[in-house]
Amino acid sequence: MNNNNSSESSFFTERVVQGPDRVYRWKYTLRKEQALVHYKMMMKIGMIVAAAISAVTISIFAFGAQDRLIFGNLLLNILVIYGMIVGLPALIGALALHSDTRSYEMDDECIRHKHATRGGDAVVIFRNVTWADEEENAIRMKEGITTYTMYAPPEDATFVKEYIRNRIGSEKYKS
């Protein structure tokens, strides 16, 4: 696996480069502001999950809690829930804000965010995109129920946006 990553790191550059197989490849490290968008979304989801679990915990304790000892345990449990669901990911996310580097491949059919999930790549097939828009060097595309955000180096963003626009159609692309 390490051999694959080392060869892959030389294969993907900081600029958009077309390989001999006619596939464009690049890597992009998110700026702090871009990474914060994902970080804030993760925190919102964590807060919702923690609130739901806390509500269930409170309702369980409400039916059997009659004295202060149990109420103290309830507060401790809620603090542990928030600490584990919100606090730990917040700490990890804050430490990783400057290390979110993404690798992309793009050809005439699709754009791939390499290793986006543990299961593999996030693939957006151009013919299946229902709408797309852009902000600075980010391109958002909706395919099915999922909205994907792909990033291009600022120097190459215009090229990537035009390439995608030409494949999905201008009527679906809002700039």
Side-chain angles (χ1 to χ4, degrees):
M1 185 159 177
N2 286 342
N3 291 340
N4 187 23
N5 286 342
S6 64
S7 65
E8 192 171 285
S9 64
S10 63
F11 202 56
F12 291 87
T13 66
E14 300 289 333
R15 295 291 307 265
V16 176
V17 177
Q18 188 177 38
D21 56 358
R22 304 198 36 84
V23 174
Y24 292 96
R25 291 179 179 84
W26 69 94
K27 64 181 176 180
Y28 180 75
T29 302
L30 269 60
R31 295 188 326 262
K32 184 177 179 180
E33 303 81 35
Q34 292 168 329
L36 277 173
V37 169
H38 303 283
Y39 177 76
K40 288 176 184 176
M41 179 61 75
M42 177 189 69
M43 294 308 302
K44 286 179 187 176
I45 292 169
M47 293 293 281
I48 291 168
V49 170
I53 293 172
S54 295
V56 169
T57 304
I58 290 169
S59 65
I60 289 171
F61 274 93
F63 289 111
Q66 301 299 326
D67 61 11
R68 288 186 164 171
L69 180 61
I70 293 177
F71 184 71
N73 287 338
L74 171 65
L75 292 178
L76 179 63
N77 284 331
I78 290 173
L79 286 174
V80 169
I81 289 169
Y82 273 89
M84 296 303 291
I85 295 176
V86 178
L88 188 59
L91 177 63
I92 293 168
L95 294 173
L97 274 178
H98 296 288
S99 62
D100 191 355
T101 299
R102 300 169 180 210
S103 300
Y104 297 99
E105 290 183 344
M106 180 174 67
D107 59 24
D108 287 333
E109 303 294 321
C110 63
I111 184 169
R112 291 173 204 82
H113 173 185
K114 302 296 289 175
H115 313 295
T117 65
R118 296 193 131 198
D121 303 343
V123 180
V124 180
I125 300 170
F126 294 134
R127 72 175 179 273
N128 295 340
V129 172
T130 55
W131 64 262
D133 68 2
E134 62 186 59
E135 183 177 322
E136 296 179 8
N137 63 326
I139 302 105
R140 288 183 298 270
M141 292 170 278
K142 177 93 168 158
E143 181 188 34
I145 61 170
T146 306
T147 302
Y148 299 92
T149 304
M150 306 289 186
Y151 296 91
E155 304 86 0
D156 299 316
T158 302
F159 165 75
V160 172
K161 291 174 194 175
E162 284 299 316
Y163 191 91
I164 292 171
R165 181 182 290 116
N166 290 337
R167 273 132 193 97
I168 67 170
S170 295
E171 69 281 356
K172 296 178 187 176
Y173 197 99
K174 299 165 182 64
S175 48

